[in-house]
Amino acid sequence: MKKIYTAFVAAMFATSSFAQPLAKVQANGPFANSSLRYQPNIKKPAGQPMNFIMPTVSNKTAFPARVSKAASESEIILDQPAGTLHDNLYGTGEGYLVFFGYVFPTAIDGTVERYVEGNDGDVYIQNAIGTIPSGSWLKGYKAEGDTIKLDLPQKYYSQDAIDDDGNPTGEKEYFYAFRAVMNQEGNSIVPDSTSQTMSYVLRNDSLIRVDNLDNDVYLALCADDGGWKGYADYYQAWYKMKEAASVPPASAEVSKYQVDFINTDGQEDARIINVAVDGKDLYLGNLSDNAPENWAKGKIDGDKAVFEGKIYMGVDPVNQMHTFFAALGSEKIWDEMYGQEVDSFYFEKSISFDYDAAAKTLKSDGMFDVNNGLNSVYSVVSYEAPQMKSWVEIPASPKDPELLQFVSFDEARGYGALQFWFEKNSVDGNLLDPNKLYYNVYFDGDLFTAYPDEYQNISEEITDIPYYFSDNSFDFIASGDMHTLYYYMTGFTKLGIQTFYKDGDKVYKSNLVEYAIDEEGNFTPIETAIKGATAESNTVKSVSFSDLSGRRVSNLASGVYLKTMKMADGTQKTVKVVKK
């Protein structure tokens, strides 16, 4: 079962999320089984989709056979070529991408880009199609003056091929970078029959594509037959990043603080951050999970601490974006596309905190975020009304989790789901370090373990699930204190959830909270919560799979299987699972 989960998707389905909040979103097109379907490092699209048509298998684009041959014979370059690497460029651009089979325009701002001047005299450009970064490199050569030319098509993106039933074939399918133009009807993009050479210029450590929309040219992703796949860039420029990231000196005094705030999802939240003071300089660190080592630098002015403008924090290595600390404001506007009032955010000139050095507090009624890029609001995380105070760790049991929603497994749908609330606070109301928080799930008293054979986005089995764990929001989703888990089994009538805090060798557990599950998927709390229960006798020691005829299976394709679990007490249990 393929799905995507992005901020854009969440916005599109906000009005229907109450009716089916745990429904998976289906990915479309050739990228359904690609990790790049999440598009993590571009700005989410805005506005209405384009009225574009993408060619189907029965409506392929015709172009010269010599071009098709060149496409199929090219090699995809995945390893960084030898030579001089130009790294951490600031990427900008505009283009098209696909959501739900529709083509949307989008802007690219703040991506981390790189190219190599090869030892062989050639030039190699990574992620040349900014709307679908693949990690591969396109090969070019130096021409007259400062011009770089790329002869296309070249292999750009590969993924595991699947058959018509969605089963892996064991082969790879490839997609290609083409020079392209708009068709005569103005409703699709096709390979340029007049030229397949793309030109760039290298100026002052910047790389700029000169073949662009100004001369009606696109850099597009196509199949080997030239059929467009909905992704294309029509402007692209990469610039040398001149700003240095904020870093406190070694002499700075660093302390742990707790910040209470309203998060990006509008929830009351809390986080442990780092605060460093060096004379009149004040630094805030650990503001995002993706880049905890990045800092923002402000100035102390009496009983105020002020952060001016957009402050460069450094690279977000997960999203591959240049990030900035930015003060924000907001206003209510009417959104015609969604037919409702929404918050519109904009940059403020500064944010000021009331600062008490003796009490170790920083307080503001304003808002700031860790922002992807410099030119538009695209928050990694935002902090509204931040209230900061000194934090001291007090290990204790976390509060009991609470099941919020449950969806029974349905074979036609291909999954079941549960969603629960897991606070970072202890039973005493103190904020716990979320990096030491975990949860376990029990089905009919059996401790759940996720295996890579069933959960395609994990590389090793996992039983103790970390608070922040997310497999690219595919089967495990962590959004603040809200946690979602998709599962692939049937036949259980009891669900249990337990959270715990690991402090060295000491483990502090919540109650094992259990729920009775009926045939319709309704859940009822079982009023026998067991403090510190672990169900050791029901710990799974080994797992094997077989088909419905009882034959052992090691590599699971799509289908129905029997999963046999051997327990610590010598018993075993078999359940039916469905692999999508």
Side-chain angles (χ1 to χ4, degrees):
M1 182 61 61
K2 311 301 180 185
K3 60 183 183 299
I4 55 177
Y5 185 89
T6 67
F8 177 69
V9 171
M12 285 189 69
F13 285 87
T15 57
S16 61
S17 62
F18 298 102
Q20 199 175 12
L22 296 181
K24 288 188 175 182
V25 180
Q26 302 299 308
N28 291 277
F31 311 107
N33 62 335
S34 162
S35 61
L36 293 179
R37 66 187 178 279
Y38 301 106
Q39 294 301 314
N41 63 343
I42 59 173
K43 183 182 177 183
K44 54 182 178 285
Q48 298 286 346
M50 308 296 293
N51 293 319
F52 282 162
I53 297 173
M54 287 182 288
T56 63
V57 174
S58 60
N59 182 27
K60 293 185 177 181
T61 304
F63 63 100
R66 60 180 174 77
V67 179
S68 180
K69 185 174 185 293
S72 61
E73 291 181 352
S74 69
E75 295 296 329
I76 190 167
I77 305 173
L78 297 176
D79 295 327
Q80 179 181 310
T84 302
L85 174 66
H86 298 264
D87 200 358
N88 287 336
L89 276 74
Y90 187 102
T92 64
E94 296 178 56
Y96 299 119
L97 58 82
V98 179
F99 273 104
F100 304 108
Y102 293 97
V103 177
F104 284 83
T106 191
I108 301 169
D109 179 55
T111 51
V112 176
E113 306 294 358
R114 52 188 63 87
Y115 69 93
V116 167
E117 294 186 85
N119 292 339
D120 57 5
D122 290 324
V123 177
Y124 298 84
I125 301 172
Q126 191 179 40
N127 294 330
I129 305 177
T131 49
I132 182 163
S134 68
S136 69
W137 303 75
L138 296 185
K139 181 179 179 179
Y141 58 91
K142 294 182 179 180
E144 314 81 35
D146 57 5
T147 300
I148 304 296
K149 292 183 179 290
L150 273 64
D151 288 335
L152 302 175
Q154 294 184 35
K155 282 180 181 172
Y156 178 77
Y157 173 58
S158 67
Q159 67 181 13
D160 294 331
I162 56 177
D163 61 22
D164 292 340
D165 296 322
N167 299 313
T169 65
E171 299 180 347
K172 291 285 186 182
E173 61 178 333
Y174 294 94
F175 301 90
Y176 300 78
F178 274 82
R179 177 183 168 117
V181 295
M182 190 69 66
N183 66 1
Q184 290 184 349
E185 294 79 14
N187 62 4
S188 191
I189 289 172
V190 297
D192 187 347
S193 61
T194 65
S195 174
Q196 279 296 316
T197 298
M198 191 71 74
S199 295
Y200 295 73
V201 293
L202 272 173
R203 293 175 184 164
N204 301 321
D205 296 319
S206 296
L207 182 67
I208 302 168
R209 202 176 83 222
V210 294
D211 284 329
N212 54 42
L213 194 60
D214 293 339
N215 52 353
D216 301 319
V217 173
Y218 302 81
L219 182 58
L221 188 78
C222 301
D224 59 355
D225 68 344
W228 183 44
K229 295 306 175 183
Y231 295 85
D233 290 359
Y234 47 83
Y235 288 115
Q236 190 177 60
W238 299 352
Y239 303 101
K240 182 178 181 180
M241 190 67 199
K242 298 179 180 180
E243 294 186 58
S246 303
V247 179
S251 59
E253 178 185 349
V254 180
S255 304
K256 297 286 185 183
Y257 273 58
Q258 173 180 335
V259 54
D260 298 303
F261 63 102
I262 306 298
N263 66 21
T264 308
D265 298 320
Q267 303 170 357
E268 291 185 1
D269 206 344
R271 181 180 179 88
I272 301 166
I273 66 169
N274 296 321
V275 176
V277 178
D278 182 59
K280 295 294 184 181
D281 295 331
L282 188 144
Y283 299 81
L284 301 179
N286 191 32
L287 295 177
S288 76
D289 298 330
N290 292 350
E293 302 302 320
N294 289 358
W295 295 84
K297 179 182 177 181
K299 286 289 185 181
I300 299 171
D301 183 10
D303 61 355
K304 301 290 183 182
V306 181
F307 291 77
E308 295 275 0
K310 300 164 192 170
I311 302 162
Y312 184 53
M313 298 183 69
V315 169
D316 176 337
V318 176
N319 290 334
Q320 284 295 293
M321 297 287 294
H322 292 283
T323 58
F324 297 80
F325 177 103
L328 298 181
S330 68
E331 60 181 352
K332 295 287 186 182
I333 63 170
W334 181 258
D335 190 296
E336 294 290 345
M337 183 174 180
Y338 302 117
Q340 61 184 16
E341 195 175 59
V342 298
D343 290 318
S344 176
F345 298 95
Y346 54 87
F347 293 122
E348 293 276 20
K349 292 182 179 180
S350 65
I351 182 172
S352 177
F353 292 84
D354 295 328
Y355 175 56
D356 189 326
K360 293 189 174 182
T361 59
L362 289 138
K363 299 179 181 180
S364 176
D365 295 328
M367 185 191 316
F368 70 87
D369 77 344
V370 176
N371 199 73
N372 284 324
L374 186 62
N375 297 307
S376 59
V377 178
Y378 185 14
S379 299
V380 179
V381 59
S382 63
Y383 294 78
E384 182 180 351
Q387 311 291 305
M388 306 178 194
K389 61 184 179 182
S390 180
W391 178 81
V392 177
E393 182 180 20
I394 305 176
S397 297
K399 289 183 177 180
D400 290 349
E402 179 186 0
L403 183 64
L404 300 177
Q405 298 182 69
F406 180 85
V407 175
S408 295
F409 179 88
D410 179 85
E411 189 165 335
R413 186 172 53 226
Y415 62 87
L418 58 104
Q419 190 173 74
F420 62 96
W421 194 256
F422 176 10
E423 288 192 35
K424 297 188 288 288
N425 288 338
S426 71
V427 291
D428 302 318
N430 297 312
L431 179 63
L432 297 170
D433 183 350
N435 294 307
K436 298 181 179 181
L437 282 170
Y438 301 81
Y439 66 91
N440 290 140
V441 177
Y442 295 83
F443 294 98
D444 276 347
D446 298 331
L447 182 60
F448 166 75
T449 298
Y451 296 92
D453 284 340
E454 295 177 88
Y455 291 85
Q456 63 186 53
N457 274 17
I458 63 174
S459 58
E460 58 186 15
E461 64 184 60
I462 180 171
T463 301
D464 296 341
I465 305 170
Y467 176 87
Y468 282 130
F469 180 71
S470 174
D471 61 340
N472 284 332
S473 296
F474 197 77
D475 287 306
F476 299 83
I477 301 170
S479 177
D481 290 336
M482 190 86 73
H483 295 259
T484 303
L485 168 65
Y486 291 94
Y487 66 89
Y488 305 93
M489 67 179 72
T490 61
F492 61 89
T493 59
K494 186 172 68 173
L495 173 71
I497 308 171
Q498 186 173 43
T499 61
F500 56 98
Y501 189 73
K502 288 184 179 180
D503 184 45
D505 296 331
K506 186 75 172 177
V507 178
Y508 302 84
K509 297 183 178 182
S510 74
N511 292 311
L512 173 58
V513 181
E514 295 184 303
Y515 299 85
I517 308 295
D518 66 19
E519 293 181 356
E520 276 76 43
N522 301 310
F523 59 92
T524 305
I526 299 174
E527 301 297 337
T528 55
I530 307 169
K531 183 69 174 179
T534 57
E536 286 295 338
S537 63
N538 290 325
T539 300
V540 179
K541 292 302 183 182
S542 67
V543 173
S544 61
F545 294 90
S546 60
D547 61 22
L548 297 181
S549 300
R551 293 172 297 187
R552 289 287 294 270
V553 178
S554 56
N555 296 316
L556 273 63
S558 296
V560 180
Y561 298 90
L562 298 176
K563 175 181 176 181
T564 300
M565 298 168 286
K566 291 186 177 180
M567 307 301 186
D569 62 2
T571 62
Q572 69 178 36
K573 182 174 182 177
T574 300
V575 297
K576 184 169 70 173
V577 299
V578 178
K579 172 69 174 178
K580 288 291 182 180

